[in-house]
Amino acid sequence: MTDLNPGGASSSPHELIVAGGSLYFVATEPANGEEVWRLVGPAVAPEISSIPRPLMVGGSNTIAGTNLTDGSVVMLFVATAAGPVAYGPFSPTTTSPTLLTLAIPPTVALGNGFASVQVINTDQSFTTSNIVPSLLVGDPFDNIPTITHFNGVGLAPPEVGIGVAHSDVVVRQGTEVTITGTGFNNPLVNLFTAAGNVGPLAPLGGGTATQFRVVVPAGAPTGPGNFQVVNAPYDGNVLSNAVAAVIGARPAISSVTVSGDTVTVNGAGFSSLSVVNLFNVQGGGVVNLGGFGPSGPRVPLTIVSDSRFTFARPLAAVAGRAFVAVLNPPFIPFSSSSDDPDGAFLFPAPAPNLLTMAAALSAPAGGARTDNVEATEAPVADSARAEAGAVGESVHWTSVVLDERERRAGGSQWAGSDSRSTRALVAGDGGVMWRAPEGDLAVGLTHDDRGVGLARLQFALRTRPRTSDLLVYESGRLVARVGPYEVGDRLAVRARAGVVEYVRNDVLLWTSAATLHYPLVAAARLISSSARVVDARLEGELGTVVTWRVPDGVQVGGMRVTAERATTAQGPVLGAGSALEAGLRGEAALGIGAKGCDYCIVSTPRGIEVRAMGTVRGRWTPEPSARYRIDLGAATVRYWRGEVLLDEVPTRPALARYAPGLCSPREVRRSSARWCGRRTGPVAVISRATVSGGPDADPAQSAARSC
Amino acid sequence: MTGRVVLPWCLVAVMGVAGSALPAFAQFPQIVRDVNGGPTGSGPTGLVVVRDTLYFAADDGTGRGVELWKSNGTPDGTVLVKDIRPGSGSSSPALLTNVNGTLFFVATDGTGGRELWKSDGTEAGTVLVKDIYSGSGSANPESLVNVNGTLFFRVDGNCGEAMAPSRARPWSGTSTSARPTGTPRAWSILVVCSTSPPPTAPAQPLGSRVSSCGEVTGPGPALSL
């Protein structure tokens, strides 16, 4: 129920007894020692209905809500350039069930003039309230200055929808700006810009405690700027709210041009702090290729001047309509218009995506397996390998592998070559499309890509130049001749409503009677030496295939996949409280175990199975978009799909801690218990796997693990 | 000093989960009262419930030693019942037993040895039942058992003066001062003086192993030994 004495120590509950319907017991924890405890509840969570707007630092603030208790305390989160800074917990000066009075100490910095409030009921299992935002001002009597207006324009956001105080006025370099507010005391002004602090600025004469003027330096860079007043004696908490304003010009776009892979944007108000939203029409919808990702802006910009910048065409961009919008901090108020027609442009069609075996033909005789075959496309960026939605993308092929029969032939005779896509259709409708080539080849979809030759392709269309007819092959067997074709025809092998269809120029040629299993990779068999796969695309809900065969490894969701295993970065052994989470499709397993996966979630053609010590405990219908998680507790292992608990089983004492990593079965057996992931079928999709949890305290166990 | 221009992930963090639905919560443990403030525990022992009130022995660390406490489950309602042994010495209440709504226990006031006490939850109502061994000697009652309203316990050695019939009568008493007029006593006392094991349950064949040396009883259920 609760770990009263967290960590390895025990709270040792004893003398359990019921009185008045409540359970009492004696327990020990560090803060209070051995005392009497009582089981109460259910816990009541506070809820804030209103707070003062603005909140005043150094003043008294009344918070209204419900379920406020004598144990209620208040947290204040102030927005700053470095992120939110937490102040508190503050004990209210008065509390009733619906009101509490909060005195915010005058030592709290105003930051960016914006804060959020949260109430915590410490006597109700530390339940927390909703978080309510407000602008933040200082009490003049505490010598805290506050900016309220620029050139007579009041601060936004009135609806507190944006987490930073800002003004919509544009202040020009070399001109005066009138700053209005409260509590000014012999002030100076800092002005933080993309070039750093271009202040302090001294006020012009005639200032008062509520208004003064300064001149914006002529050299201040165009773009966003934060104004902040500093009171005498310029030490201590004498800083005003830092208020964002526009210096020089708002961002605006006048034209966009594309040359090769470089996109040039012309306009005004551009800054080294600018970011872009880059919208691209893909698959009938609009995809934002820009904005912010986990590690920063997704589209790096090269700022040429405040009126021009460039960026490289993202790999994920497809030919067709696109639109760029520029945003300056704090972004939402300071952006180019989202419907400015001048931001529209077209991504041109890329160079053909070719898979050729020219290099293979020049490989040394007897080279049974050649990995230096030319693939003319650029290497796939890690970001492109992230899980994709239901959109299409160019097929990225693995290296071409010469037919093993070539080796037996001594390299003197061409016997064909094979390759397959690095991505897979993981569910639903979708398929592979390409242009009919001049050479003899077969392209299609396959669930089982082992082996070589046409037999490796479960569903394939073959273009045979000698007779100019299209042939349907399924698992190496010719099942249909579906008519003539011409070079350049649009060919497709696709899954529709659970069956595989063969298509030429959007006309259905043949429907397969064979059962399909996801995931399906695109696979190609190059039959003639002149064969090339041109403009191949894979569409549908795509996932990245965990490939145990790639010699040099590829990144899959932060794990390193090699020929033998997939691992996370090496780290300490994880103990109880750790978890492994991933998407799981195809035929793969995630789990923990000392000899193989003792406690696993296994994806099979029959469904998702939960297994414990070799026993199948249950089976669920696959949900392609689901995330699966295995939690390691002190005594149990819990299996989750999303927020649904699938099963819970007790662990063996020997499995007290596990190493992070996804390991091949062989390594799992060789080492002691650990997280593991393995491919149990020809195609396994383990997406975005993460291992979380604190390190185990036992260094000996940590040292024993290496994956 | 607050400096650079704010970046948007700050905004997301500050906005937090505003507007999100509040979760439901289950029961949770809560300390009744930190009787001995700080990390040193009060060492509660002998928890027993009498009329929905929790009684226990604890040391609040103020120098009065281990004494009798009671609690209604709230911090303010968790209080010392009585400093039975004034000063720094402990009365060490033990064997707290509910006999039909009256708390019996063994304690020492520092002068009369370890004897049988009872309490109605008030300081005034916390009194010595009987100085079984008068003077500083201890009767050391053990194995207090409520058997259908009769408190059985054992004292060390022979019964001594406790066996004297004339000394037996004062051990009787009423269950509580609030007992309605005309209702029978809710409890009686039977002291067993033997070094043999005490009775532990009414179904146990007691007669051959213990001897009754004194009995005071109200009109409760009859027991034969």
Side-chain angles (χ1 to χ4, degrees), chain A residues 2 15 18-19 24 30-38 40 42-43 81 84 112 116 123-125 131 190 192 228 292 329 331, chain B residues 1-6 8-9 14 18 25 27-32 34-36 38-39 41-47 49 54 73:
Chain A
T2 300
E15 301 217 29
V18 174
Y24 291 80
N32 300 293
E34 187 181 42
E35 294 289 357
V36 177
W37 289 68
R38 177 189 178 201
V40 298
N112 285 103
S116 292
D123 56 350
Q124 296 292 316
S125 194
I131 297 175
N190 289 324
F192 300 99
Q228 184 179 51
F292 275 98
F331 300 105
Chain B
M1 177 179 291
T2 299
R4 295 175 294 109
V5 176
V6 175
W9 47 82
V14 170
F25 299 97
Q27 286 192 307
F28 61 96
Q30 186 179 66
I31 192 168
V32 171
D34 188 5
V35 173
N36 190 343
S42 65
T45 57
L47 274 64
V49 177
L54 180 71

Side-chain angles (χ1 to χ4, degrees), chain A residues 66-108:
Chain A
T66 55
N67 297 332
L68 306 178
T69 70
D70 290 339
S72 294
V73 297
V74 181
M75 291 297 299
L76 190 67
F77 304 98
V78 177
T80 75
V85 174
Y87 291 93
F90 299 119
S91 295
T93 52
T94 64
T95 303
S96 75
T98 57
L99 290 174
L100 59 82
T101 305
L102 169 67
I104 302 178
T107 53
V108 171

Side-chain angles (χ1 to χ4, degrees), chain A residues 213-563:
Chain A
R213 294 170 298 136
V214 293
V215 176
V216 177
T222 293
N226 273 4
F227 288 80
Q228 184 179 51
V229 175
V230 187
N231 272 357
Y234 317 114
D235 188 28
N237 190 25
V238 292
L239 303 175
S240 79
N241 45 345
V243 179
V246 178
I247 299 175
R250 293 175 179 278
I253 295 175
S254 58
S255 66
V256 182
T257 60
V258 182
S259 175
D261 285 339
T262 301
V263 180
T264 300
V265 178
N266 300 300
F270 304 150
S271 161
S272 60
L273 298 173
S274 299
V275 297
V276 296
N277 281 330
L278 177 59
F279 302 99
N280 187 202
V281 176
Q282 296 187 0
V286 177
V287 177
N288 186 359
L289 305 175
F292 275 98
S295 57
R298 291 196 183 109
V299 178
L301 306 181
T302 300
I303 303 298
V304 179
S305 68
D306 60 8
S307 61
R308 175 175 295 178
F309 66 86
T310 65
F311 61 88
R313 171 182 175 148
L315 285 174
V318 302
R321 291 191 294 154
F323 179 84
V324 63
V326 183
L327 303 89
N328 282 351
F331 300 105
I332 293 176
F334 302 149
S335 312
S336 65
S337 172
S338 60
D339 57 1
D340 184 349
D342 292 329
F345 65 101
L346 292 174
F347 277 122
N353 173 26
L354 304 178
L355 177 65
T356 172
M357 55 190 164
L361 285 173
S362 61
R369 180 176 179 136
T370 305
D371 292 323
N372 63 348
V373 175
E374 178 185 0
T376 58
E377 63 188 0
V380 186
D382 288 345
S383 59
R385 290 197 174 91
E387 281 288 286
V391 298
E393 60 182 47
S394 296
V395 173
H396 301 290
W397 300 98
T398 59
S399 299
V400 171
V401 179
L402 287 180
D403 195 322
E404 289 290 336
R405 289 169 289 188
E406 178 77 1
R407 182 189 186 94
R408 291 193 294 272
S412 59
Q413 185 176 359
W414 174 253
S417 185
D418 302 285
S419 187
R420 68 164 178 80
S421 61
T422 59
R423 303 269 280 165
L425 176 66
V426 296
D429 293 347
V432 60
M433 298 102 203
W434 72 103
R435 294 281 183 179
E438 293 179 350
D440 189 350
L441 58 78
V443 177
L445 298 171
T446 188
H447 177 68
D448 185 347
D449 69 331
R450 288 173 292 192
V452 294
L454 282 170
R456 187 176 59 98
L457 277 62
Q458 289 181 295
F459 308 98
L461 261 181
R462 177 182 177 183
T463 52
R464 188 164 58 179
R466 182 168 58 87
T467 55
S468 294
D469 61 349
L470 283 170
L471 310 175
V472 174
Y473 279 84
E474 294 191 343
S475 300
R477 188 172 60 91
L478 176 62
V479 297
R481 300 177 191 274
V482 290
Y485 74 94
E486 294 182 1
V487 173
D489 280 353
R490 298 190 307 276
L491 305 179
V493 177
R494 68 190 188 194
R496 286 287 186 279
V499 299
V500 173
E501 298 175 345
Y502 302 87
V503 177
R504 177 172 71 93
N505 292 335
D506 301 324
V507 176
L508 178 62
L509 302 176
W510 185 260
T511 300
S512 174
T515 303
L516 69 86
H517 292 290
Y518 294 99
L520 294 162
V521 295
R525 170 69 176 176
L526 309 181
I527 299 170
S528 71
S529 59
S530 62
R532 298 192 311 167
V533 180
V534 180
D535 276 352
R537 281 180 58 77
L538 193 59
E539 292 189 356
E541 185 180 356
L542 306 183
T544 301
V545 177
V546 173
T547 306
W548 266 251
R549 301 188 314 182
V550 177
D552 297 325
V554 294
Q555 293 287 341
V556 179
M559 293 175 296
R560 173 65 66 176
V561 179
T562 71

Side-chain angles (χ1 to χ4, degrees), chain B residues 26-112:
Chain B
Q27 286 192 307
F28 61 96
Q30 186 179 66
I31 192 168
V32 171
R33 175 181 168 179
D34 188 5
V35 173
N36 190 343
T40 302
S42 65
T45 57
L47 274 64
V48 69
V49 177
V50 180
R51 296 183 183 275
D52 284 343
T53 297
L54 180 71
Y55 290 84
F56 56 95
D59 182 354
D60 64 3
T62 61
R64 60 166 60 106
V66 179
E67 297 292 347
L68 182 66
W69 289 70
K70 69 174 182 180
S71 175
N72 66 357
T74 68
D76 291 341
T78 302
V79 296
L80 178 73
V81 176
K82 181 176 183 176
D83 188 0
I84 295 172
R85 183 175 183 176
S88 60
S90 298
S91 68
S92 301
L95 305 178
L96 280 66
T97 305
N98 176 14
V99 183
N100 289 16
T102 297
L103 173 67
F104 286 87
F105 59 97
V106 177
T108 177
D109 61 5
T111 60

